[in-house]
Amino acid sequence: MRGEKHLSSPALCVAVLLTLILPVFTGSASPDAMPFQILSVKIRDESGNVITQTIRGRFIFVDVLIKNVEVYGSRSFLLLASLRYGSPVRQLGLSGYKGSLAGGEQANPTPGFQIPADGPTGAYVIKVMVFSDWVALGGIVVAEPVEVSISVTG
């Protein structure tokens, strides 16, 4: 038809082959697959004990296990942990870690927070996110975010 462009048979074959073969070399199952996976998130106290509650003024550490699920290559990442409380949500803190992992490797960044001494009691939420870089520098999400909660008492 006039004005319409169609892929020729050889070009169509190349496009289909690249779509099927490229994920094998990049280690991704599909184009939408995230290159990193958060394997676990645990909240620890200053002694390294896993905790589900704490008191105001104490330090807590967000023990994250992250993996580059790709088979080949190395990728940089920026892990951010956000300490939040209430509805509407108020952000009380932001902690980060920047690094890189080769395909198949794991890392164990452990950002920390101090619960505000005069902060409210109740359920706090920590959201862990992984980006390729700072969003202002073109970073995009590269892992599904994970949320955990901790109870803060007197």
Side-chain angles (χ1 to χ4, degrees):
M1 294 194 173
R2 282 192 164 180
E4 292 182 10
K5 293 185 178 181
H6 296 281
L7 287 176
S8 66
S9 189
L12 181 60
C13 289
V14 169
V16 169
L17 282 174
L18 285 176
T19 302
L20 296 173
I21 294 173
L22 194 55
V24 172
F25 293 108
T26 62
S28 300
S30 73
D32 297 328
M34 299 283 191
F36 288 94
Q37 182 179 11
I38 298 172
L39 300 175
S40 68
V41 177
K42 297 175 185 163
I43 302 172
R44 297 186 183 274
D45 64 13
E46 294 176 33
S47 299
N49 302 311
V50 175
I51 58 173
T52 57
Q53 71 176 38
T54 190
I55 60 173
R56 294 182 286 192
R58 291 267 171 93
F59 284 93
I60 60 170
F61 299 92
V62 186
D63 184 1
V64 180
L65 183 59
I66 182 174
K67 180 178 182 177
N68 179 345
V69 296
E70 295 181 317
V71 177
Y72 302 104
S74 181
R75 280 193 186 250
S76 296
F77 68 93
L78 171 67
L79 182 137
L80 295 177
S82 171
L83 179 65
R84 301 169 177 201
Y85 177 83
S87 179
V89 175
R90 291 186 306 152
Q91 183 163 312
L92 301 176
L94 184 68
S95 187
Y97 176 90
K98 194 166 186 174
S100 66
L101 287 172
E105 284 189 338
Q106 298 179 6
N108 192 212
T110 308
F113 298 100
Q114 183 177 17
I115 302 295
D118 60 348
T121 59
Y124 284 59
V125 174
I126 298 168
K127 184 173 185 176
V128 178
M129 303 160 286
V130 183
F131 297 88
S132 58
D133 201 347
W134 293 102
V135 175
L137 298 176
I140 59 170
V141 175
V142 292
E144 292 295 324
V146 172
E147 289 187 359
V148 294
S149 61
I150 185 165
S151 177
V152 176
T153 60

